[in-house]
Amino acid sequence: MLAGVLTDGTATSIYDQLYFNTNNLVGKTGTSNDNRDIWFIGSTPGITLASWMGYDSTGRNLTDNSSQINERYWSKLANSVYQINPSLMRLEDDHEKPSTVTSSKVLKLTGQLPGTVSINGSSQNLNGSTVTSLYNNWTPKATSYEFGIGGSARNYETFWNHYLGYNNGYGSITYSTADELNPTSGYSSRRSGTAATTTNNYTANTTGTAATTGTTTGTNYTANTNPTDTETTN
């Protein structure tokens, strides 16, 4: 995956600028919002080099071609290291997986092992599609109700009720304009659509309908799960 960043990804320009064998070179680019920061981190079996360009102050952004400039800078650093001491790069060695890294097949749904979870007082045996994941000094456990990192009680309630089949808007995305997010703009509208967030308060009945109330990203709304959902923004 990280080799692909250089062969056909966002850092292909680096290959033409290096003076050494790149067969065992991997890398990763990075860009923050509005091109405020640019990174490139490249690694051989022997060394890892990182370069950064950006501004400490807000209100100033880099240009669209800054990534290429940063990659040229990184290439000059790497070439200098190679010219001074090429053995540091260990270019003929393969990348080795550390002994502390292990693999395990986990559920795509939760990222944990199959298990039994109590949802609304009913035990659910979780099985299904799996994926092989790598872990460093950690072994995944059987799926528990609160399986994520940093999830709130509302997040889990929404997730598990969606798992049971409730149409509560889990996974949907709503967008707001700058005026809608500005509390001083006086913007007010009423529009139809799907109101959804993973931090909703909601109640659900056995017919699969859910009523939703809550506040997200400065938007107050009320909604149901019918196609004519309404949303009020202030």
Side-chain angles (χ1 to χ4, degrees):
M1 181 186 298
L2 293 180
V5 173
L6 295 122
T7 57
D8 53 14
T10 53
T12 54
S13 66
I14 283 181
Y15 271 137
D16 295 332
Q17 303 177 62
L18 298 177
Y19 303 151
F20 51 84
N21 184 346
T22 58
N23 288 342
N24 288 321
L25 175 66
V26 298
K28 184 69 180 73
T29 58
T31 308
S32 63
N33 291 349
D34 301 318
N35 287 340
R36 182 149 309 151
D37 302 276
I38 299 288
W39 293 269
F40 179 75
I41 301 173
S43 180
T44 71
I47 66 168
T48 296
L49 292 174
S51 59
W52 167 83
M53 293 175 59
Y55 292 101
D56 291 332
S57 60
T58 59
R60 303 185 67 183
N61 301 329
L62 299 168
T63 60
D64 290 338
N65 67 337
S66 296
S67 183
Q68 286 74 30
I69 297 173
N70 189 46
E71 289 167 15
R72 288 200 297 271
Y73 174 62
W74 186 94
S75 298
K76 291 181 181 296
L77 289 176
N79 285 332
S80 296
V81 172
Y82 178 73
Q83 291 172 348
I84 294 172
N85 190 349
S87 64
L88 287 176
M89 292 191 162
R90 294 169 50 196
L91 297 176
E92 304 307 318
D93 295 342
D94 293 326
H95 287 278
E96 298 178 358
K97 185 176 73 172
S99 60
T100 56
V101 175
T102 59
S103 62
S104 181
K105 286 188 176 182
V106 295
L107 294 174
K108 288 183 178 181
L109 181 71
T110 64
Q112 295 184 330
L113 301 175
T116 301
V117 175
S118 177
I119 307 173
N120 299 336
S122 175
S123 294
Q124 301 289 328
N125 293 318
L126 298 185
N127 289 288
S129 299
T130 60
V131 63
T132 299
S133 293
L134 298 176
Y135 303 91
N136 183 39
N137 273 331
W138 189 76
T139 301
K141 300 177 181 179
T143 295
S144 60
Y145 184 88
E146 296 183 352
F147 63 89
I149 298 175
S152 67
R154 295 176 183 176
N155 294 152
Y156 290 115
E157 188 178 18
T158 302
F159 174 85
W160 288 116
N161 278 280
H162 179 265
Y163 171 79
L164 292 177
Y166 291 108
N167 182 13
N168 57 14
Y170 174 81
S172 300
I173 301 174
T174 56
Y175 298 93
S176 299
T177 66
D179 283 338
E180 290 176 290
L181 297 177
N182 183 359
T184 64
S185 66
Y187 179 90
S188 180
S189 72
R190 184 173 182 85
R191 64 178 183 267
S192 62
T194 302
T197 177
T198 58
T199 58
N200 288 345
N201 291 326
Y202 70 95
T203 57
N205 57 35
T206 56
T207 63
T209 60
T212 309
T213 60
T215 303
T216 179
T217 59
T219 300
N220 296 323
Y221 64 86
T222 59
N224 56 38
T225 56
N226 295 323
T228 57
D229 290 346
T230 59
E231 183 177 280
T232 303
T233 308
N234 54 34

